[in-house]
Amino acid sequence: MSFLVDIVLIGILLAVVSVYARRSVFSAGIGTLATAVAVVAAVFLTPLAAPFVAEYAAAPLTERAVAEELADMYSAPHLETAEETVAALPIADMLAARPDTYLRLLSKYHVEHAAVQAAFRADFEGISVVRTIAAPLAEVLAKTTVFFLLCLVLNLILQLVVRRVEQNLPPQRRYRGIKRAVPPLFGVLCGLVWSWVAVTVISWVVPQTAEQLVFLTPAVLERTDWYRWLQSINPLAWLHR
């Protein structure tokens, strides 16, 4: 599976280079700049928008999934909402006994028992347990979705602006000699930016969803070459800190 990750990332780079190789120097240069600006803007806007997406979109889905898994532990029915599903479950007994199925659930969602127990003791409501278990996954899904969509949307908007500017410029002459290599070089830079976007998304999602994905885990990523190299020089990782 590790080689497939590298193939996808290399494919992104080659695809962008092939597109930029047919552009003018101005178009390739300003297009690369527009992509870089869009991605950097997405980095700074993501923390502002992600909490709302987590609360109103990602959290309800993940909480429902967690509640249904808890219900399955006791062969209880799946009701309309997560709160209704866990209302009749023996949550206090489960936290005291800590059965293997419960511990596996915590491991799956990367949550500590102490955090779940503290949340339950605050109000003795089963939904508090569900929200505590589901929160890390909801946050990752929201952050990843917002970041990726912002990159795409902002880049599309800026590329349309670039295209409008190009339409008002005189036609470019055919390039000769070294100038023919300039657009593909800009394509390499732009391809690296999109590769870093992909690497960032993978680095967020995989650790939190390793058990769900099965075939794509942190151990698999450690065996990749291109992914590890891109991650080692990934400026987006620094910006997100």
Side-chain angles (χ1 to χ4, degrees):
M1 188 65 185
S2 59
F3 75 94
L4 291 178
V5 176
D6 282 343
I7 288 175
V8 170
L9 293 173
I10 293 172
I12 291 173
L13 178 62
L14 294 178
V16 176
V17 171
S18 67
V19 171
Y20 272 65
R22 297 190 291 270
R23 293 188 174 187
S24 66
V25 172
F26 173 81
S27 176
I30 199 70
T32 301
L33 178 62
T35 297
V37 170
V39 171
V40 172
V43 169
F44 290 102
L45 291 175
T46 295
L48 302 177
F52 296 98
V53 176
E55 181 177 356
Y56 295 106
L61 295 175
T62 54
E63 287 170 13
R64 186 183 182 92
V66 170
E68 290 177 354
E69 290 190 64
L70 288 172
D72 289 341
M73 291 169 54
Y74 295 95
S75 300
H78 299 174
L79 301 180
E80 189 67 24
T81 65
E83 190 168 2
E84 293 173 350
T85 298
V86 299
L89 298 181
I91 297 296
D93 294 340
M94 179 189 72
L95 296 180
R98 287 191 281 182
D100 290 341
T101 50
Y102 162 71
L103 294 178
R104 284 196 295 271
L105 183 67
L106 295 188
S107 176
K108 177 180 177 180
Y109 287 91
H110 302 274
V111 179
E112 296 293 332
H113 169 71
V116 176
Q117 194 170 47
F120 182 70
R121 287 177 176 173
D123 56 16
F124 296 97
E125 295 287 342
I127 191 62
S128 298
V129 170
V130 171
R131 287 170 179 161
T132 302
I133 297 174
L137 180 58
E139 291 172 3
V140 167
L141 292 178
K143 181 172 68 170
T144 302
T145 302
V146 169
F147 173 65
F148 187 67
L149 289 179
L150 281 174
C151 287
L152 291 180
V153 173
L154 294 176
N155 181 67
L156 177 61
I157 293 172
L158 292 178
Q159 295 296 343
L160 290 175
V161 173
V162 169
R163 185 63 57 86
R164 180 60 61 88
V165 172
E166 282 186 90
Q167 290 173 350
N168 295 322
L169 295 176
Q172 297 290 321
R173 294 180 298 176
R174 294 180 64 86
Y175 300 120
R176 299 180 183 278
I178 192 66
K179 284 188 176 181
R180 297 177 61 183
V182 176
L185 288 176
F186 277 120
V188 172
L189 293 176
C190 190
L192 281 175
V193 173
W194 282 115
S195 297
W196 284 326
V197 170
V199 164
T200 300
V201 169
I202 291 172
S203 68
W204 288 349
V205 172
V206 170
Q208 190 64 43
T209 61
E211 293 193 25
Q212 290 93 329
L213 296 174
V214 180
F215 296 109
L216 187 57
T217 65
V220 170
L221 295 180
E222 285 299 317
R223 294 195 296 270
T224 63
D225 295 318
W226 190 246
Y227 169 86
R228 287 190 296 109
W229 179 75
L230 287 171
Q231 184 68 323
S232 68
I233 62 170
N234 184 5
L236 302 184
W238 177 80
L239 287 175
H240 276 290
R241 295 194 187 102

